[in-house]
Amino acid sequence: MREKLELLRKAAFEELGGLTTPEEIEAFRVKYLGKKGELTAILKQMGGLSAEERPVIGQLANSVREDIEKKLADVKAETEKRALEARLQSEKIDVTVPGKRSPLGHRHPMYEVLDEIKDIFIGMGFQILDGPEIELADYNFTKLNVEEGHPAREWTDTFYFTEDSEVLLRTQTSPMQIHAMETMTPPIRILAPGRVYRKDEVDATHSPMFHQIEGMAIDKGITMADLKGTLSEVVKQLYGDDTVTRFRPHHFPFTEPSCEMDIRCHKCRGAGCPTCKGEGWIEVLGAGMIHPKVLEGCGIDPDVYSGWAFGMGLERMALGRFKISDLRLIFENDVRFLEQF
Ligand code: DAH
């Protein structure tokens, strides 16, 4: 048995030198030191030994086990150290590599135009107002001198919330004139941009939701000349000093007199082209002197005060400004479109 134990130690030591992976090490441990391992197999034969031999062989067996265990622990520590070094090598981080840039977005082109328009009006002493998109018919129509039965109040044109046609999605930003007149005292100079809603089918020039900008100035002695001067100056600042304006008579229930303002086509300079549909002029807004009935209804004395007001379509301004051909592009928010601005 002594011989068997010595041979076992020798064989184990030889095998240990070739172990490299955790799996091999575990397989080795089971083979030599496990319950069904080779050392246990030898020890099971100790029953056949004499009383004198037994302690001697026992001692030898223990020292063989200790030797193998110690060497196994060394090999294990060594392979673990090598594995760790290999990992540190492969997972090395180069802190000098440049970082990834996260893409930065920018303002929507239409809101850029709105910001420019706001800046121009703020420079002229106007105040920016925000107001409700859900309105009362009273504010959207009645107080603006749009009487019952007027075609603009039709169910086919307006999104109503209630059967009695009292609550609706505002069809224009003009009710902001009423809100301003009811809550402020003249002199009043306000600009009120926002969303408006009409029952229109979507096409290249229509959308059931679009944006308007309402403007209004009320003071003593305000005339049509102030309206013309202010609006001409605004479009010059927006489109350039050589911008030419034209005012045509028109009708709106809440202004008297009323007009529409055109600007001379910036593309063909009035000769007629596809941009202005051959007209030479592009219509940009409706305006007029605030109707005395409207002033009076809001508690402002029309014998003391007068004022002008206008409403323009924001999408149209953006289309013209950036030479965009289709209104739908403004709302689709396709990044490939937006990236061009
Ligand atoms: N609210 C009108 C529209 O939607 C536009 C308008 C015309 C606004 C004349 C005004 C104005 O303030 O004075 O067609």
Side-chain angles (χ1 to χ4, degrees):
M1 272 191 87
R2 185 187 296 273
E3 225 164 276
K4 275 188 185 167
L5 283 168
E6 292 295 356
L7 279 174
L8 180 75
R9 170 154 51 195
K10 196 163 168 264
F13 271 39
E14 267 167 23
E15 215 172 295
L16 269 168
L19 300 182
T20 51
T21 68
E23 293 76 27
E24 285 170 3
I25 287 169
E26 177 57 13
F28 173 91
R29 192 192 62 75
V30 172
K31 178 179 170 192
Y32 285 97
L33 308 172
K35 268 192 204 145
K36 291 176 184 167
E38 294 190 12
L39 187 63
T40 317
I42 294 172
L43 292 179
K44 273 184 186 154
Q45 297 165 12
M46 293 223 341
L49 295 174
S50 65
E52 304 89 66
E53 268 181 320
R54 219 175 282 165
V56 184
I57 295 296
Q59 216 174 9
L60 178 64
N62 277 338
S63 96
V64 167
R65 170 182 284 277
E66 275 168 24
D67 285 354
I68 295 174
E69 276 175 348
K70 193 168 167 293
K71 186 92 196 253
L72 179 65
D74 289 348
V75 169
K76 209 174 159 189
E78 182 62 29
T79 53
E80 276 168 5
K81 197 176 137 209
R82 272 203 308 269
L84 179 65
E85 269 165 15
R87 235 183 86 194
L88 288 175
Q89 276 297 324
S90 68
E91 293 178 6
K92 197 159 58 179
I93 295 169
D94 181 353
V95 293
T96 66
V97 171
K100 275 187 203 150
R101 274 188 201 288
S102 33
L104 257 192
H106 59 79
R107 310 267 298 151
H108 188 285
M110 193 179 71
Y111 280 89
E112 278 187 33
V113 174
L114 177 58
D115 277 352
E116 282 177 47
I117 295 171
K118 278 186 189 169
D119 275 351
I120 296 169
F121 276 96
I122 288 169
M124 293 175 163
F126 282 70
Q127 182 182 337
I128 311 296
L129 283 194
D130 202 7
E133 288 172 28
I134 298 173
E135 261 300 358
L136 299 174
D138 220 24
Y139 283 76
N140 194 79
F141 295 126
T142 315
K143 291 181 180 208
L144 285 162
N145 198 30
V146 181
E147 73 277 15
E148 299 283 341
H150 191 284
R153 303 178 80 130
E154 292 285 338
W155 269 74
T156 48
D157 294 347
T158 304
F159 293 104
Y160 286 100
F161 287 96
T162 51
E163 291 270 333
D164 59 6
S165 309
E166 287 295 342
V167 187
L168 48 81
L169 282 173
R170 67 178 178 190
T171 62
Q172 50 184 356
T173 45
S174 299
M176 289 307 293
Q177 292 184 29
I178 308 297
H179 288 295
M181 285 188 256
E182 286 185 346
T183 54
M184 303 162 89
T185 47
I188 299 171
R189 276 179 290 204
I190 57 113
L191 193 76
R195 278 185 275 268
V196 300
Y197 303 85
R198 290 182 197 175
K199 281 189 183 165
D200 282 327
E201 294 289 339
V202 177
D203 66 23
T205 53
H206 291 89
S207 159
M209 184 282 294
F210 57 103
H211 296 72
Q212 282 188 339
I213 307 176
E214 198 78 10
M216 183 177 76
I218 300 174
D219 203 347
K220 288 175 181 157
I222 295 269
T223 70
M224 194 89 182
D226 298 303
L227 184 160
K228 290 181 73 176
T230 308
L231 293 178
S232 296
E233 179 57 26
V234 168
V235 289
K236 278 189 176 141
Q237 289 196 29
L238 204 58
Y239 291 113
D241 264 342
D242 56 350
T243 309
V244 182
T245 51
R246 179 176 81 172
F247 292 82
R248 279 180 290 104
H250 202 78
H251 170 77
F252 296 104
F254 34 92
T255 43
E256 183 58 38
S258 303
C259 62
E260 279 193 330
M261 185 181 87
D262 303 333
I263 55 172
R264 200 179 66 185
C265 181
H266 41 79
K267 204 99 181 256
C268 63
R269 299 188 157 269
C273 72
T275 302
C276 58
K277 298 192 189 89
E279 299 275 324
W281 296 88
I282 298 167
E283 181 204 317
V284 292
L285 55 83
M289 298 305 293
I290 303 168
H291 200 293
K293 272 175 80 177
V294 174
L295 288 170
E296 207 161 18
C298 296
I300 296 175
D301 185 348
D303 291 330
V304 180
Y305 291 102
S306 55
W308 55 256
F310 75 87
M312 71 179 163
L314 179 54
E315 282 80 5
R316 186 179 296 191
M317 298 302 279
L319 295 183
R321 187 65 210 277
F322 292 116
K323 314 213 164 22
I324 302 163
S325 57
D326 195 316
L327 179 69
R328 285 167 287 200
L329 292 166
I330 296 267
F331 301 123
E332 276 167 0
N333 288 332
D334 186 326
V335 194
R336 291 167 302 177
F337 165 74
L338 295 173
E339 270 170 359
Q340 299 171 46
F341 304 98

